Amino acid sequence: MNLPNLRIGNGYDVHRLVEGRKLILGGVEVPHSLGLDGHSDADALVHALCDALLGALGAGDIGAYFPDTDPQWKGISSLLLLKEVMRMCREKGFELANADTIMVAQKPKLAPHLPQMIKNMAATMNVESERINIKATTTEKLGFAGREEGIAAYAVALLIKNV
Ligand code: MG
């Protein structure tokens, strides 16, 4: 049977919310009193998507390629990591079918920023915007996200092999 060559991957990431850092999600600087802490810009959404793509590729996780001990990645835009991960996908002959993502944050309201996040990620990956979906939810004040200690992101990505 001739089945389409599909690969699915999932990704998950969390960063801590701290004072004195910008809040960057999907490459958008979201106005907020707290920002995500991390070695890069700590863009949890983009990190989760990178891990979903690498998972689909069977190629490990972003920690393996962009370790947080490497000064080269300090403070950089995570969109650059996403660009590199997408390059790796294409190098192996895969194209993005679609990606679906969720951000989990009590505050701030992320909904107004979703269209720009989609634009940024689609442009970085060189895919149509309709292939990327982003959802945002609170946790009804439960857990670390609900206590505003951090922001989590989940992603699934489906890759299809060009034949
Ligand atoms: Mg991360």
Side-chain angles (χ1 to χ4, degrees):
M1 198 162 44
N2 233 346
L3 290 172
N5 203 341
L6 300 170
R7 303 288 166 84
I8 193 167
N10 74 109
Y12 174 67
D13 195 30
V14 175
H15 283 268
R16 192 183 288 272
L17 279 166
V18 296
E19 287 179 357
R21 290 270 301 184
K22 288 177 181 168
L23 177 57
I24 310 284
L25 288 165
V28 174
E29 187 179 333
V30 179
H32 192 43
S33 54
L34 304 172
L36 294 176
D37 197 18
H39 186 67
S40 63
D41 62 1
D43 190 328
L45 175 61
V46 169
H47 292 179
L49 181 54
C50 285
D51 266 354
L53 292 166
L54 289 169
L57 212 52
D61 62 47
I62 52 170
Y65 300 96
F66 315 106
D68 60 10
T69 48
D70 188 339
Q72 186 182 170
W73 312 117
K74 190 169 165 56
I76 64 150
S77 167
S78 295
L79 291 176
L80 293 175
L81 310 185
L82 179 60
K83 198 179 183 89
E84 172 58 15
V85 167
M86 200 57 217
R87 190 197 62 73
M88 290 166 63
C89 293
R90 293 201 170 105
E91 190 177 67
K92 295 216 179 309
F94 285 95
E95 195 45 66
L96 180 75
N98 76 302
D100 186 28
T101 63
I102 310 172
M103 289 180 292
V104 185
Q106 192 62 41
K107 275 185 193 165
K109 266 229 166 312
L110 297 173
H113 304 285
L114 303 189
Q116 188 60 47
M117 293 178 191
I118 290 174
K119 243 187 211 176
N120 290 349
M121 299 200 297
T124 299
M125 300 170 79
N126 198 19
V127 301
E128 302 97 323
S129 294
E130 66 191 31
R131 292 184 186 273
I132 298 176
N133 191 67
I134 309 176
K135 305 187 288 290
T137 185
T138 71
T139 58
E140 301 286 340
K141 298 190 174 171
L142 295 169
F144 70 83
R147 291 187 299 268
E148 299 172 50
E149 293 167 359
I151 288 177
Y154 298 84
V156 291
L158 186 67
L159 294 177
I160 185 159
K161 192 149 200 176
N162 288 316
V163 281

